[in-house]
Amino acid sequence: MNKIVKIALVVLGLISAVLWYFLPGSEVPAGEAAESAAISGMFTITFILLGIAVAVSLVFTLMNLFTNPQSLKKTLIVLGSFLVVLVFSYLLASGTDVNLDEMANRGIATTETTVKRIGTGLNLFFFLVAIAIGAMLIGGVKKMTNK
């Protein structure tokens, strides 16, 4: 398996080097350069490598998660806590914070549901920031008091 990966990386490296050679120069307008086959090929290679990296990391994470029951328990607790914060954020969002008629006059078609979802996202962000700051403060205080 290791040999196959090395061969694949060498092949991708050679293809990338050839594509690099055929990249358009700085004198080519940006619109034309963006449509060149070399740039499209480079993006394709990048997306393939990114997809492989995400898939492999996800597979190994899930394998580790399910082979270690303690880790699975902690993960489920964190996910449950996140869902509680999400529901709380949703309940606090009103959806009537914005004058919908004024938004429509400006050419921004929106609904009360959209405003409520945006409010939920903002509330969730602020709660998670507060939780992160609180966790850092608690960790810092514990370190200072243990010495």
Side-chain angles (χ1 to χ4, degrees):
M1 182 68 175
N2 196 13
K3 230 177 199 181
I4 295 171
V5 171
K6 284 183 180 181
I7 291 170
L9 288 175
V10 168
V11 169
L12 283 174
L14 290 173
I15 292 171
S16 298
V18 169
L19 289 174
W20 182 268
Y21 179 75
F22 288 111
L23 284 176
S26 60
E27 69 280 351
V28 177
E32 289 178 29
E35 294 177 5
S36 74
I39 289 183
S40 296
M42 293 287 259
F43 277 122
T44 302
I45 290 172
T46 302
F47 290 139
I48 289 171
L49 290 175
L50 181 63
I52 291 170
V54 167
V56 168
S57 65
L58 189 62
V59 165
F60 282 111
T61 300
L62 291 175
M63 283 175 37
N64 186 29
L65 195 64
F66 289 117
T67 57
N68 187 355
Q70 200 65 10
S71 176
L72 181 62
K73 180 181 174 185
K74 285 182 181 179
T75 302
L76 291 175
I77 289 172
V78 168
L79 283 175
S81 302
F82 179 76
L83 288 175
V84 167
V85 173
L86 179 65
V87 168
F88 189 65
S89 298
Y90 182 77
L91 293 175
L92 286 180
S94 67
T96 58
D97 302 339
V98 176
N99 186 347
L100 299 178
D101 295 329
E102 182 66 31
M103 295 292 283
N105 289 342
R106 292 183 180 186
I108 305 170
T110 188
T111 63
E112 193 172 315
T113 305
T114 304
V115 174
K116 186 164 179 122
R117 287 179 184 164
I118 292 170
T120 300
L122 289 171
N123 290 341
L124 181 65
F125 172 76
F126 293 133
F127 283 133
L128 291 177
V129 166
I131 291 169
I133 291 171
M136 287 188 292
L137 288 175
I138 290 171
V141 168
K142 280 185 180 179
K143 272 188 178 180
M144 289 186 338
T145 57
N146 285 340
K147 289 185 178 182

